[in-house]
Amino acid sequence: MRLCRDPATADDLAQDCFLHGWEKLASFRGDGAFGGWLMRIAWTTFLQSKRRSDRYREVVSEVGREDGAAATVDPIDETADLDKLLAVLTEDERAVMILSYALGMSHREISETVNNPVGTVKSIIHRSKVKIRHNFELENHQYG
């Protein structure tokens, strides 16, 4: 939900993820955690959906019309502090922060999920925290 910011899309993506997981269950070798394997499928499902959505917007803008099918989503729920904080981050930064803090994944698990080196994941987390602190004028000691 926090990645796509739309409850209906989040439900669709979750359903797609579990269907893909079920279809590929035989490919799970047990080398890592099942949750990490499923998270990788969820991440891939999200990225594929985003690519389709981006391409749709390109086509619509080329035609020069909006037909209402691309419903706009309120980017920030003003009552949700976490959503406000995450809104200042890029999509990739937001994803890594959600995987780390909301899902409690380790840097290694995040690395495998988003297909980035562990060092890059650590850098993204650090830069994201700095960006949030800067945008909201938070003191470094308030949020770890």
Side-chain angles (χ1 to χ4, degrees):
M1 170 59 190
R2 294 202 189 279
L3 287 174
C4 65
R5 297 178 170 188
D6 176 39
T9 302
D11 286 345
D12 290 344
L13 291 174
Q15 192 172 44
D16 288 348
C17 170
F18 285 111
L19 284 173
H20 285 92
W22 179 257
E23 291 168 355
K24 297 180 182 282
L25 191 57
S27 72
F28 178 65
R29 297 184 313 257
D31 296 339
F34 181 77
W37 176 80
L38 190 58
M39 187 56 62
R40 180 69 183 158
I41 292 173
W43 177 251
T44 303
T45 302
F46 168 73
L47 289 179
Q48 289 172 342
S49 169
K50 172 129 179 51
R51 286 184 198 116
R52 284 190 304 268
S53 174
D54 289 346
R55 182 62 189 136
Y56 173 79
R57 280 192 286 278
E58 287 174 22
V59 169
V60 168
S61 79
E62 286 172 12
V63 173
R65 64 177 172 79
E66 285 287 341
D67 64 1
T72 58
V73 177
D74 183 15
I76 302 173
D77 176 5
E78 293 297 324
T79 62
D81 290 339
L82 181 58
D83 286 339
K84 287 180 189 179
L85 296 174
L86 293 174
V88 301
L89 303 176
T90 66
E91 186 173 275
D92 291 339
E93 292 167 338
R94 190 170 50 251
V96 168
M97 294 296 279
I98 290 167
L99 294 172
S100 178
Y101 291 99
L103 299 178
M105 294 176 75
S106 70
H107 292 148
R108 183 187 56 75
E109 291 171 325
I110 296 168
S111 168
E112 292 170 359
T113 301
V114 299
N115 202 23
N116 277 334
V118 173
T120 302
V121 168
K122 290 179 181 180
S123 294
I124 291 171
I125 290 171
H126 174 74
R127 282 193 317 265
S128 298
K129 289 194 281 188
V130 168
K131 189 185 279 189
I132 289 169
R133 288 180 188 127
H134 174 75
N135 278 280
F136 292 95
E137 299 177 1
L138 301 173
E139 295 294 322
N140 285 342
H141 66 280
Q142 283 180 307
Y143 299 96

